[in-house]
Amino acid sequence: FQNTNFLMISLMKNENKKKLIELENIHVDLKSSFETINVLKGINLKIFKNESVGIIGESGAGKSTLVMCIAGLELISKGKIFFKNSPIHNLNEDDLAIYRSKNIGVIFQAFNLLPSMTALENVNLPIEIAGSFKNNKMAIELLTAVGLKNRIFHYPHQLSGGEQQRVAIARSLISNPEILIADEPTGNLDKRNSEDVIKLLFKLKKDFGSTLILVTHDTSVAKLCDRIIKIDNGLIAE
């Protein structure tokens, strides 16, 4: 009875929040010449403004696929996705690119920095790709915020793994996105750098007022979030 009561209170709190993302019966099927793999098998999920959501599950469960669907980087096979009640599941590639550039910041496990660009240039890259003028002032402020004030003109090969991930975090925030997606952001880092990056993520999430969706294999990290969603074999586990 106590657990049921707690669940009802939690649901009531969420209903009072502003819904940002809603997924309805999301399926993702990956087809090859030999077989079809059902990665997601009917995901229903609501994510609310300013909350932090931890996505956990075994390797291959569908965690990364789920968040890439939200980011518009993975096409769904069936279902509907809404951002602020507007459908994004039927957008073409150009419109999806606009949706991402205005609303989504993504941090990958692999830092995905361009080796020929400085930290400053890497941070500016998303808005330049979107067709906007680079914003050096904002980029420098972000690099300073992530502790890289003295690394602004360094190239990726001149930075440690932890520093490269900090550049990636700064890059994800350059367009001031409402949703910050971090897909195993500490997967390539040692314990100390992992702890520093996670602390930084939650600090910046609070400072920027973003909604954080964090994919992690580490339950202790997921527990830092407002809510934990477990994905098991392409479904949300009860």
Side-chain angles (χ1 to χ4, degrees):
F1 176 78
Q2 287 180 336
N3 288 339
T4 302
N5 209 24
F6 175 77
L7 177 60
M8 290 180 67
I9 291 171
S10 297
L11 290 171
M12 289 172 64
K13 285 181 179 179
N14 276 342
E15 288 302 317
N16 291 329
K17 293 179 180 179
K18 185 176 180 181
K19 184 172 62 181
L20 202 58
I21 288 284
E22 183 170 8
L23 283 69
E24 294 182 359
N25 193 32
I26 296 301
H27 291 251
V28 173
D29 301 326
L30 300 182
K31 297 180 180 180
S32 71
S33 56
F34 302 103
E35 61 179 342
T36 297
I37 301 174
N38 309 120
V39 182
L40 298 182
K41 304 174 182 178
I43 297 288
N44 293 286
L45 179 63
K46 294 178 183 179
I47 295 175
F48 300 90
K49 187 175 177 63
N50 298 135
E51 75 169 338
S52 54
V53 179
I55 308 291
I56 63 172
E58 298 294 328
S59 178
K63 307 184 298 298
S64 293
T65 300
L66 172 61
V67 295
M68 291 303 108
C69 289
I70 294 173
L73 290 168
E74 180 76 55
L75 295 180
I76 65 174
S77 305
K78 178 183 176 182
K80 299 177 180 179
I81 303 178
F82 298 91
F83 173 72
K84 293 183 175 179
N85 296 318
S86 296
I88 65 168
H89 52 273
N90 53 5
L91 297 180
N92 60 35
E93 285 296 329
D94 290 339
D95 289 335
L96 279 173
I98 293 171
Y99 157 72
R100 283 193 298 272
S101 67
K102 291 183 176 180
N103 306 295
I104 307 291
V106 183
I107 305 159
F108 299 95
Q109 178 176 339
F111 316 126
N112 290 349
L113 302 180
L114 291 185
S116 61
M117 289 186 169
T118 64
L120 181 65
E121 291 168 334
N122 268 288
V123 171
N124 266 318
L125 190 59
I127 55 176
E128 291 191 83
I129 290 175
S132 300
F133 293 106
K134 63 183 179 181
N135 188 343
N136 282 340
K137 184 175 183 295
M138 180 65 173
I140 291 171
E141 288 176 356
L142 284 168
L143 286 166
T144 301
V146 300
L148 295 178
K149 183 179 180 180
N150 298 321
R151 297 285 192 271
I152 290 171
F153 299 110
H154 284 60
Y155 291 89
H157 74 273
Q158 297 172 313
L159 303 172
S160 68
E163 288 172 334
Q164 289 186 57
Q165 192 61 298
R166 286 168 180 262
V167 174
I169 292 171
R171 180 183 58 189
S172 73
L173 291 165
I174 189 66
S175 59
N176 195 21
E178 287 203 60
I179 301 175
L180 189 59
I181 294 174
D183 188 6
E184 296 280 10
T186 61
N188 287 330
L189 302 178
D190 58 30
K191 183 178 179 181
R192 179 179 176 182
N193 278 308
S194 296
E195 292 172 350
D196 289 345
V197 164
I198 292 300
K199 288 178 183 177
L200 179 61
L201 267 179
F202 279 91
K203 179 183 183 301
L204 294 175
K205 180 261 179 205
K206 181 179 179 180
D207 291 347
F208 282 79
S210 302
T211 294
L212 175 63
I213 305 174
L214 175 62
V215 175
T216 179
H217 64 279
D218 190 336
T219 306
S220 64
V221 171
K223 286 180 179 178
L224 298 173
C225 296
D226 300 320
R227 192 156 50 111
I228 298 176
I229 305 295
K230 183 177 181 180
I231 305 298
D232 184 18
N233 194 29
L235 290 166
I236 294 178
E238 293 295 335

